[in-house]
Each structure stands twice: as structure tokens, then as C-alpha cells.
Amino acid sequence: MRKSKLTFMFFFFLQDIEDDLSVTYPRPAPTPFHQSATPTPVHQLKKKKFSDITFIVGAPSKAKKYTGHRLVLAMSSPVFEAMFQGDMANKSRVVRVTDIHPSGFENLLRYAYSDGLRLQSIEDAMMTAFAAKKYALPHLLEQCFSYLEANVNAKNVCQIYEFAQSVDAPLLIFLCLNIMDRQTFHVLTSPSFPMVLPSTAELVASRGYLNLYSEFTVYTSLVQWGEDECKRRKIPDDPDNIRQVLESHLPYIRFLAMSPEEFAKGPAKGGLLTLDECFSIFMNLAIPDCVPVPPGLSHEYNKRSAPPEYFICTRYRGLSYSPPGRPLRVFGVRFSTVEKNIFLVGAAFPVRLDNNYYAVRQPKYTGVVRIARRMVDGKIERQESEVSFQLSKGKDTSFTLRKPYYCRRGEKYEVELQAHALISDDVIVPLLRNKKREDVVEGVTFQFIPFTRIKLSSILDITEFSELHFYC
């Protein structure tokens, strides 16, 4: 860059001489601004100039060699800094990396030298994310996650879900669960489903809500997965081995939700069930609960359907309403879950417009939601985001988080909404409340702790959320 600046000044100097002496000199064409005479960092990476470290990346049979500069890499990653600096630094000029795919490591190097990233596929994004996580590059990791979030679909959702679980990416997990629940037929019939992990196949089969026309699709897809799993285990794919492979999956197949015709042409003839189990299912299909269902089989008669947008946990219901005694501005709740992790997507609080409110437009407010997470070891993690909400007559006010918040079971959470403006005119709040200590929804037990603000209670009316909106 310095050399190009001197050349540029020299050209101006020649121009001045021409104007003064009226002499014409041949001039070379000017160099475009984006074509600098100084090589870019990526060019330096390709040319290997002044490189002082070599990486051999990948499995021994498919390893690739990359060169780099210790100083550049140490400035980009704290892991590289620890590797190359200090008394315990690795002084070797060759470093072997066997747990990262070469394409992911190459993208990491390109990002470290130029902040540039070119992802070609979801596999490329996942391999790069593994490298970014290992070498502590959070911005690169976020870009990989964003690429996957934009490209997840019914065909690759199981693959991305398994990746998201391995790197602890809650938003990706949330998106994958929604696709599994709402595009179930396409997920189960995709060519990639027979190749999923046993835990993933069990997860899909165990979901309480699935967007399916018939439970027969679950059965056929699991049998196909079982046949492929037998081949992966290098055992014959006969009915006995498939039954053994599907032992943990079988209790989730709702045979009693099938029609008699579906059961007769599929499970009854497939050899997966014993004669006694088939007899019991046929009897209960004809007359529900006429004979006991054998152990290890589902007792569910109801067909699964698409899930709601979110599930609702209720803290309390307002029994009667009156104008608030003090202005409203702070709302919140404290809770923990017992059985499952959940995704918190929003909440509601019982503030309504007075029935005598006469304006045509419903008032809108904005505020900030602060979420504090108290972990098992006592540490506290905080996060906040902006939200908006609108008051209306006849129903509680609700808001939705911009991104779902992942809540882990056994940990305590405090969610607080602070409005940017006071809410005091033309509104009513519950006068009588019946607060619960816990509520059980979709197999999740919510345990509540009173929410208070001692310093603000004499100035503002502190109101607890009446509902939590979540997904699991």
C-alpha cells in the first residue's frame, strides 16, 4: 500500500511537469483502487510467504497440508495464542489436527486472514463450525449457524439437529424441532432419514405432536430405519433383529391410532409383532379397551396432529378487574422447570384496556426484556432484548421474544419486562388473583417463586406475568 501511494504521488508530479513545460510523456494506465499493489492477506496465505507453521489436518488417509503465520493466527484466536505464545507453547513447525475436517480448517484460515467466508453447503458450514468452536472464534461460529438456520429443511433437518445437539446451538434445535413437528411426512420419507442416529429416530417417534395423515407413516419409516441400522451393525435384517433394534422406539408407535386396514397390511404381516400382540391390537381396534394392551406397546388411540404455535403455562387467572392503584411499568416472573428443557418464546400479563376506552387505535408500547439465569453452580447469566406489545379489551396483553430463550431444567430463571413508558391511563388489572405454585403442561412441571421489587413497590405497581409461552 505504501509503494502504491508513492507511485500515485509520482504520477501527479509528472503531471505538474507536463503542464509547466508542455511536454507529453507516455503514462501507464492507472491501477483501480481495489487492485492494490500490496498483496492481500489471503494472497499471502496462498503464496506461503514468510509462513512459519504447517498444519496437517484430517484423518491420516485424507489429510491435507496448510501453512500459516503464527502471529496472524495468534491475533485471531485465543487458542492459537495459547499454542504459539508463552513458556508452554508448541515450538514445533508442524502441528497435526485429526479432529477437524480439512474444508472446515481451510475456511477458518481464510476467515482468520481476511474475515471472509464462503460456505458452499450445510456440510461445509458444519465442518467450519466445528473448527470455529474448537479454536474459539465466536463470530465465525455465528455465521455458520446463520447459514444453517437459513438452509434447514425437511430433507436435512435430522442431520442439522444432530449437529446442533453436539455443539449446543439452541436456536438451531428450536428450528429443527418445529420442522420435525410441522413437516413430519416429508421428514420421515426423506432419503436421509434411514441414516439418522438411533436417538434422533427415537426423538421423532416420541413427539406428542406430528403433522401426519396416518400413524402408518411412522411405522413404515421406523422399519426402514431399522433395516438400515441392522446393515450398519452388520447383522441380518430379519424381523427379530429389526425388533431388537427398535426396542426403544416401539413404545412410541401408536398402533391403536391406525385403521384396521392399515394395521392388517403392515404391522400384522411384517413379523415385527408377535401373534399375541397382533391379536390384542386387533381386538382393541374393534372394541377399545376390551383386552389389555401388551407391555411395551403404546396405549394411545388418538392420532397425532400438528402442534400449536406455542404451549401456555398459567401462573394465575384474574378473577375481577379494577384500575391500578399506581402506575405500571415493571412485569416479571421467577420459575424453574423439572422434567424437560424448554424454549421460552413469550409471556402475557393481565393488563387490559378499560371497557369505556373510546379511542379507535389501540395503544402500543415498547420495552426491554431482561432474563437472568441462575445456574446450578450459583453463577448468573444475563440477557436482554427489545420487545413491543399492544393493549386491547377483553384479553391479557402478550409479547413475543425476538428469539426463543433456552431454559434448562433444574435452573432458576427470572424474566422481567420494563416498559419504556408508564402504563396508567384507561387500563384495568386483576383485583383478585389465584396464584399457583406450580403448573404442569405437556409433561413439564413449572415451579414458581414470587416476583418482587422492594425498591420499586412503593412507587410502581409490580405485576407478575400471568402466562408463560413456551415450546418443547
Side-chain angles (χ1 to χ4, degrees):
M1 184 62 72
R2 187 175 181 182
K3 180 179 177 182
S4 62
K5 286 184 177 178
L6 292 174
T7 305
F8 191 64
M9 294 173 64
F10 179 67
F11 286 151
F12 269 97
F13 178 68
L14 287 179
Q15 180 64 51
D16 292 339
I17 294 177
E18 290 181 50
D19 293 341
D20 293 340
L21 301 180
S22 301
V23 179
T24 303
Y25 294 90
R27 301 199 258 322
T31 302
F33 179 74
H34 64 277
Q35 296 179 0
S36 173
T38 303
T40 64
V42 175
H43 290 158
Q44 292 176 353
L45 177 62
K46 291 181 179 179
K47 292 181 178 180
K48 305 179 182 179
K49 193 174 182 180
F50 305 123
S51 62
D52 55 0
I53 187 69
T54 299
F55 297 92
I56 300 177
V57 184
S61 59
K62 299 180 180 179
K64 288 188 176 182
K65 184 185 294 185
Y66 300 94
T67 59
H69 307 78
R70 293 173 185 264
L71 180 60
V72 175
L73 296 175
M75 292 173 62
S76 65
S77 162
V79 177
F80 282 128
E81 182 180 7
M83 288 174 59
F84 301 142
Q85 305 293 329
D87 298 334
M88 303 297 293
N90 187 349
K91 304 299 182 181
S92 174
R93 292 181 60 87
V94 178
V95 176
R96 297 184 180 274
V97 182
T98 58
D99 57 347
I100 297 295
H101 194 274
S103 65
F105 193 82
E106 184 176 339
N107 285 331
L108 180 142
L109 288 180
R110 183 180 292 110
Y111 182 83
Y113 277 78
S114 67
D115 285 341
L117 183 63
R118 295 196 302 266
L119 298 175
Q120 305 296 329
S121 64
I122 63 166
E123 290 78 12
D124 200 17
M126 289 189 289
M127 295 302 101
T128 306
F130 282 127
K133 191 173 182 66
K134 176 177 179 177
Y135 292 101
L137 291 172
H139 296 294
L140 175 59
L141 188 62
E142 285 299 321
Q143 290 190 42
C144 295
F145 287 168
S146 298
Y147 181 90
L148 293 171
E149 291 163 12
N151 291 278
V152 60
N153 55 50
K155 294 182 179 180
N156 59 34
V157 63
C158 293
Q159 182 183 6
I160 293 179
Y161 172 81
E162 292 169 357
F163 161 79
Q165 286 279 40
S166 65
V167 297
D168 192 22
L171 184 56
L172 260 181
I173 295 174
F174 176 80
L175 294 175
C176 291
L177 291 178
N178 271 272
I179 291 176
M180 291 176 184
D181 294 345
R182 291 172 168 78
Q183 302 179 36
T184 314
F185 179 81
H186 300 288
V187 173
L188 291 175
T189 57
S190 68
S192 62
F193 184 78
M195 297 179 285
V196 303
L197 296 175
S199 58
T200 306
E202 184 176 347
L203 169 78
V204 177
S206 65
R207 302 292 289 171
Y209 292 87
L210 292 176
N211 190 11
L212 286 170
Y213 174 75
S214 171
E215 191 74 15
F216 187 73
T217 306
V218 178
Y219 165 77
T220 56
S221 298
L222 285 179
V223 170
Q224 179 62 55
W225 177 86
E227 292 175 355
D228 283 45
E229 183 66 12
C230 287
K231 295 175 183 177
R232 285 189 286 271
R233 298 184 185 184
K234 298 181 180 180
I235 58 177
D237 56 348
D238 55 57
D240 290 337
N241 286 333
I242 295 175
R243 172 70 181 253
Q244 183 180 358
V245 167
L246 292 176
E247 198 64 36
S248 62
H249 306 68
L250 204 62
Y252 301 112
I253 303 176
R254 300 184 180 184
F255 296 108
L256 296 174
M258 299 181 187
S259 67
E261 293 79 10
E262 289 174 336
F263 185 78
K265 72 178 182 181
K269 294 175 62 177
L272 191 66
L273 302 178
T274 65
L275 291 177
D276 290 340
E277 289 171 337
C278 290
F279 174 78
S280 173
I281 296 298
F282 271 125
M283 291 292 291
N284 282 285
L285 287 174
I287 306 174
D289 298 324
C290 65
V291 297
V293 177
L297 298 183
S298 173
H299 292 66
E300 286 286 344
Y301 287 88
N302 297 324
K303 293 183 179 181
R304 286 184 266 203
S305 59
E309 182 181 356
Y310 52 78
F311 305 109
I312 299 175
C313 167
T314 304
R315 170 68 161 129
Y316 62 89
R317 295 292 185 193
L319 302 179
S320 64
Y321 288 81
S322 66
R326 292 181 295 273
L328 304 172
R329 190 169 190 174
V330 178
F331 312 86
V333 70
R334 290 174 180 164
F335 72 95
S336 63
T337 61
V338 179
E339 294 87 358
K340 298 180 182 179
N341 304 329
I342 66 162
F343 295 92
L344 184 67
V345 299
F349 48 94
V351 177
R352 305 180 179 185
L353 288 175
D354 195 318
N355 291 328
N356 296 323
Y357 182 77
Y358 59 88
V360 176
R361 293 184 178 179
Q362 297 174 328
K364 297 181 180 180
Y365 293 86
T366 58
V368 59
V369 173
R370 298 183 178 92
I371 302 178
R373 168 194 173 199
R374 184 178 294 276
M375 292 175 274
V376 178
D377 58 4
K379 295 181 180 179
I380 297 179
E381 176 186 85
R382 291 181 171 86
Q383 176 180 310
E384 64 178 47
S385 62
E386 294 286 328
V387 296
S388 60
F389 54 92
Q390 182 172 316
L391 305 184
S392 60
K393 297 179 181 179
K395 65 177 183 179
D396 292 352
T397 303
S398 63
F399 67 87
T400 302
L401 297 174
R402 293 183 178 179
K403 291 184 178 180
Y405 185 86
Y406 190 51
C407 299
R408 294 169 172 82
R409 62 180 182 179
E411 297 181 346
K412 296 180 180 179
Y413 293 86
E414 178 180 285
V415 185
E416 177 187 290
L417 167 62
Q418 182 172 340
H420 290 319
L422 293 176
I423 305 173
S424 57
D425 298 330
D426 300 310
V427 297
I428 53 176
V429 296
L431 179 63
L432 298 176
R433 308 171 187 179
N434 185 17
K435 294 183 180 180
K436 302 177 182 178
R437 291 187 176 181
E438 67 177 35
D439 189 26
V440 181
V441 184
E442 295 298 321
V444 184
T445 301
F446 288 79
Q447 296 179 340
F448 296 103
I449 307 167
F451 177 83
T452 58
R453 284 289 181 268
I454 298 175
K455 295 181 179 180
L456 297 176
S457 58
S458 60
I459 304 173
L460 302 172
D461 193 357
I462 309 300
T463 306
E464 287 196 63
F465 292 144
S466 56
E467 295 177 351
L468 290 177
H469 302 162
F470 71 99
Y471 203 80
C472 63

